[in-house]
Amino acid sequence: MDQRKTVAVAIDGPAGAGKSTIARILAKELGYLYVDTGALYRAVGYFMRSKGIDPSAAQKVEPLLQDLKVELRYVDREQKVLVNGEDVTGSIRTPEISMAASQVSALPVVRRFLFDLQQDIARENCVIMDGRDIGTVVLPWAQVKIFLTASAEERARRRYLELREKGDSSTYEEVLEDMKQRDHNDETRAAAPLRAAEDAVKVDTSGETLEESVVRLKKLVLDRIGG
Ligand code: DC
């Protein structure tokens, strides 16, 4: 029998499938902590960029990890990401850092570096954790595993609108191209590639409103944990 005191819901899937938005709302409704693990890879990408290091160069990235401390803090249950004590939550959401995050996330040494941090949070709290390898690698014991996806065009459209709202001038075509490049990196990397866990429920949110997706996922989670 599973003796764990905490509940973990793992939500994996490609960029722009709606993971973070849906997970954040669900976590609030269920009273769980929302853990956005992409922010951790972004923090590493941000740090390497700030040091002028090529984020895809393993031999340059590895020694610098000694000088890096990544922390998650929760203020009113909102996640903040700290890089050596500096709150970088707002600075890691640019297209440049998205690409740097994708590159560092392909390095096994970086994945190992962030592993304990993710596991420790789930040991201490009921969590909804989103990422790429949560159901497969980080929390294989998660009681609920969801693989959330949507077509590349729909995901790019959503991300484009989000970026535009923030004043970013990227075009839809650029965002789509970026999205495809990142999908390719995430799916083909040797270390923990993006794929659905065998026991994950696959959910495609194409053509669905946010509200519809939230209702569907909440039902799925409650059915599984018997809430
Ligand atoms: O979810 P996101 O776009 O913020 O993630 C940024 C990058 O980090 C993305 O390219 C994939 C990578 N990532 C990962 O490899 N494993 C995770 N658990 C979360 C994110």
Side-chain angles (χ1 to χ4, degrees):
M1 208 174 84
D2 192 350
Q3 299 292 329
R4 285 176 196 278
K5 296 189 298 288
T6 55
V7 175
V9 178
I11 304 188
D12 291 303
K19 295 187 303 290
S20 61
T21 314
I22 295 173
R24 183 176 284 112
I25 299 173
L26 268 183
K28 200 165 181 185
E29 293 192 4
L30 296 168
Y32 292 4
L33 211 55
Y34 164 54
V35 185
D36 162 15
T37 63
L40 300 173
Y41 292 90
R42 287 172 181 272
V44 176
Y46 173 90
F47 178 74
M48 295 305 157
R49 280 293 190 157
S50 74
K51 297 286 177 198
I53 295 290
D54 171 2
S56 61
Q59 70 284 13
K60 293 197 177 128
V61 167
E62 181 165 8
L64 273 190
L65 291 174
Q66 287 176 29
D67 305 331
L68 170 60
K69 186 166 179 208
V70 178
E71 291 168 278
L72 290 181
R73 292 263 168 84
Y74 288 88
V75 180
D76 293 334
R77 302 187 82 83
E78 273 296 310
Q79 175 180 296
K80 305 274 175 219
V81 193
L82 278 68
V83 165
N84 292 339
E86 180 201 351
D87 184 346
V88 298
T89 312
S91 329
I92 56 174
R93 299 284 154 198
T94 65
E96 185 197 351
I97 301 302
S98 296
M99 202 48 82
S102 179
Q103 290 171 321
V104 293
S105 74
L107 308 178
V109 68
V110 171
R111 307 202 71 84
R112 272 198 302 279
F113 177 76
L114 296 173
F115 187 75
D116 290 345
L117 174 56
Q118 299 170 80
Q119 282 214 330
D120 289 348
I121 294 175
R123 241 193 298 277
E124 303 291 324
N125 304 274
C126 289
V127 295
I128 297 203
M129 191 174 279
D130 87 24
R132 304 294 189 285
D133 62 338
I134 308 306
T136 49
V137 177
V138 178
L139 307 177
W141 54 267
Q143 292 89 342
V144 189
K145 298 183 187 177
I146 295 165
F147 193 81
L148 203 66
T149 188
S151 68
E153 287 70 22
E154 171 124 4
R155 291 186 286 118
R157 192 180 56 81
R158 293 175 187 166
R159 187 52 60 91
Y160 164 71
L161 294 175
E162 214 175 275
L163 285 171
R164 204 177 56 172
E165 198 138 285
K166 282 195 232 154
D168 190 284
S169 59
S170 308
T171 64
Y172 167 77
E173 287 70 26
E174 284 166 347
V175 177
L176 179 61
E177 206 32 61
D178 246 49
M179 188 76 79
K180 287 185 172 166
Q181 181 63 50
R182 282 216 286 151
D183 282 357
H184 180 76
N185 290 354
D186 296 348
E187 286 163 9
T188 58
R189 68 180 178 220
L194 171 65
R195 62 175 179 81
E198 271 174 23
D199 49 350
V201 182
K202 291 193 186 132
V203 176
D204 188 327
T205 64
S206 302
E208 228 173 46
T209 65
L210 176 62
E211 290 72 22
E212 286 166 344
S213 302
V214 168
V215 169
R216 186 142 77 109
L217 263 71
K218 187 173 178 186
K219 180 165 180 337
L220 207 154
V221 171
L222 292 177
D223 283 351
R224 292 271 161 144
I225 60 172

